[in-house]
Each structure stands twice: as structure tokens, then as C-alpha cells.
Amino acid sequence: QVQLVESGGGSVQAGGSLRLSCVASRYTYNMGWFRQAPGKEREGLAAIYMAGGSTYYADSVKGRFTISRDVAKNTVYLQMNSLKPEDTAMYYCAADTLLRATIATMLNINSYNYWGLGTQVTVSS
């Protein structure tokens, strides 16, 4: 079992920044950040291979969001800059403890077997 706890969400104006954190109860192979807006499917934003640090991004956030990790703390971060109203969503952290993810599926929800409860991000115009 892995528990994931997200934090750092909140309300900001467009153009602002937020930093999300996700603490895992133990080491996992890969960790990712996803979001889901009302009425929309959950989408993968960024993922990281915890051992080597390789990162993967969705085109929608590339250049604005940065994922990083602290292996010693089993923690991943998502630095979000230049936020837009369309970034408003519930943001979820996910962990892959089975090494399901491949390079091609790092942003796929089916690659992850544990999920946090989410943290809300609201961006106003």
C-alpha cells in the first residue's frame, strides 16, 4: 500500500504561480501529476522516473510546468507558472509501484496504481 498526500493547491490570478507537493508513504518507481476539470476526463500533465529523474510533459503544460523530485523524502513537486483560467481543475498525484509505465505511457492514467485525493487549483482571469 502507498498513501499519497497532495498539498499546495489554492486560488491565484492568471499569470500567477503555484507549487504542488505530493508525499508518498514509500518509494515508487514513477510518479505523475494529473488533473481533472468538471465534465472532463482526467489528463496526464507531467511524470517523473524517481530513480533516474527523467521527466515527461503534456504539450498543454510544457514550458510552464516543471516536475521535480526529492527521492530521500519520497516527494514530487509540480511548479506551475504562467497559470491560465483553463488550468483550473482538481490536481492529483499518482504512483506507479508496479513499473507499468513505459516511455510511451508515462502520462497514461492506466500506468498508475495509487492515487491521492487531489488538491484544487483555481485560476481567475
Side-chain angles (χ1 to χ4, degrees):
Q1 287 283 346
V2 176
Q3 285 75 47
L4 302 173
V5 180
E6 303 103 330
S7 62
S11 297
V12 294
Q13 291 191 329
S17 299
L18 283 173
R19 188 194 195 206
L20 306 183
S21 299
C22 173
V23 181
S25 57
R26 64 172 177 86
Y27 178 82
T28 73
Y29 292 111
N30 300 296
M31 294 187 74
W33 284 100
F34 295 74
R35 70 184 177 192
Q36 188 166 19
K40 295 188 176 182
E41 294 185 352
R42 190 168 298 190
E43 63 170 326
L45 304 175
I48 190 165
Y49 176 51
M50 293 298 281
S54 297
T55 57
Y56 307 84
Y57 294 95
D59 289 341
S60 59
V61 303
K62 200 173 293 183
R64 298 190 300 126
F65 291 8
T66 302
I67 189 170
S68 60
R69 89 244 193 254
D70 185 329
V71 177
K73 297 180 179 179
N74 292 329
T75 300
V76 291
Y77 305 95
L78 186 68
Q79 178 66 43
M80 305 186 295
N81 299 327
S82 302
L83 284 162
K84 306 174 183 179
E86 51 263 44
D87 293 318
T88 296
M90 185 70 78
Y91 283 67
Y92 298 92
C93 173
D96 168 21
T97 64
L98 302 176
L99 204 56
R100 287 177 178 173
T102 65
I103 292 176
T105 64
M106 284 291 283
L107 299 181
N108 188 317
I109 61 174
N110 294 320
S111 295
Y112 297 85
N113 54 324
Y114 288 100
W115 294 83
L117 296 179
T119 185
Q120 178 68 36
V121 172
T122 302
V123 185
S124 58
S125 57

